[in-house]
Amino acid sequence: MPKNKTHSGAKKRFRVTGSGKLMREQANRRHLLEGKSSRRTRRLALDKAVAPADAPGIKKLLGK
């Protein structure tokens, strides 16, 4: 069997932590930042864990 290729879009969007959790970036931090408060943009800068229901499918795309 040939090797499976990692999904190129998924590898740019998700990362796996040392403990195996999947992390993602939050939406709404790309543009129109002048209208958003500093508190909001700081909060949006933090990574979030992927929802448990979505994790198995994403792991499959990443080849984990």
Side-chain angles (χ1 to χ4, degrees), residues 27-38:
N28 298 313
R29 189 133 197 277
R30 292 291 181 204
H31 52 82
L32 299 176
L33 295 174
E34 286 181 336
K36 294 166 189 163
S37 69
S38 300

Side-chain angles (χ1 to χ4, degrees), residues 16-57:
V16 184
T17 63
S19 61
K21 268 197 310 187
L22 287 165
M23 302 299 282
R24 65 170 176 85
E25 289 196 359
Q26 297 192 71
N28 298 313
R29 189 133 197 277
R30 292 291 181 204
H31 52 82
L32 299 176
L33 295 174
E34 286 181 336
K36 294 166 189 163
S37 69
S38 300
R39 181 199 294 191
R40 183 176 172 192
T41 53
R42 280 196 305 273
R43 179 179 60 79
L44 291 170
L46 302 172
D47 286 357
K48 286 283 225 182
V50 169
D54 298 328

Side-chain angles (χ1 to χ4, degrees), residues 1-6 63:
M1 287 293 292
K3 292 181 178 179
N4 288 326
K5 289 196 174 179
T6 303

